[in-house]
Amino acid sequence: MDPLARRKMIAHVQVERQRLLPEHEEATRTTIEMLRASTSSVDDPRLVPCLNLAHLLGTRNTYGDDRLMALALSVANWATTAINDLAHHTGRTPQQILDQYETDVIADQEDLA
């Protein structure tokens, strides 16, 4: 990416981050609520995607795309932190954790084929 395009992209991201900042607190609360619901359903993991999708659709339908974008950013931030914490506690790098997840997903797809 050329330097001018990179500067424009960074500027755009900074503007969007500032614009979404007022949604941050509620997005964090919604993330916690969504994770509580999802993690309490580990006995039936097929429910997890449905519960998460219900939260995402509910957020979009009730509050609009900006709140949904803030929620997506919150979830991505939580996932990044969780991966880094797991890596730290298991003595692996974050890339090794992600490689293992990727390998597991590929293996699951091959089992379904």
Side-chain angles (χ1 to χ4, degrees):
M1 178 180 288
D2 73 80
L4 179 59
R6 187 172 190 280
R7 280 197 300 275
K8 285 181 180 181
M9 181 186 71
I10 290 170
H12 178 69
V13 167
Q14 289 172 339
V15 166
E16 285 299 298
R17 183 182 181 283
Q18 283 302 116
R19 192 177 68 73
L20 293 172
L21 203 52
E23 303 289 344
H24 172 75
E25 188 175 322
E26 188 58 36
T28 299
R29 278 198 282 278
T30 303
T31 300
I32 293 168
E33 179 184 313
M34 184 171 72
L35 291 172
R36 283 189 195 283
S38 296
T39 58
S40 68
S41 298
V42 292
D43 47 320
D44 187 357
R46 293 171 299 166
L47 287 177
V48 172
C50 295
L51 292 169
N52 289 337
L53 184 56
H55 272 90
L56 295 170
L57 290 171
T59 297
R60 185 186 67 190
N61 293 340
T62 304
Y63 302 105
D65 288 342
D66 281 355
R67 180 77 59 91
L68 179 62
M69 184 65 82
L71 177 56
L73 180 59
S74 176
V75 170
N77 291 340
W78 278 69
T80 301
T81 300
I83 294 293
N84 285 327
D85 285 350
L86 181 59
H88 173 76
H89 291 295
T90 61
R92 295 183 285 171
T93 67
Q95 289 305 313
Q96 289 170 321
I97 300 290
L98 292 168
D99 289 346
Q100 182 62 55
Y101 283 129
E102 186 176 30
T103 300
D104 293 347
V105 167
I106 291 169
D108 287 346
Q109 289 172 343
E110 288 175 356
D111 289 343
L112 294 174

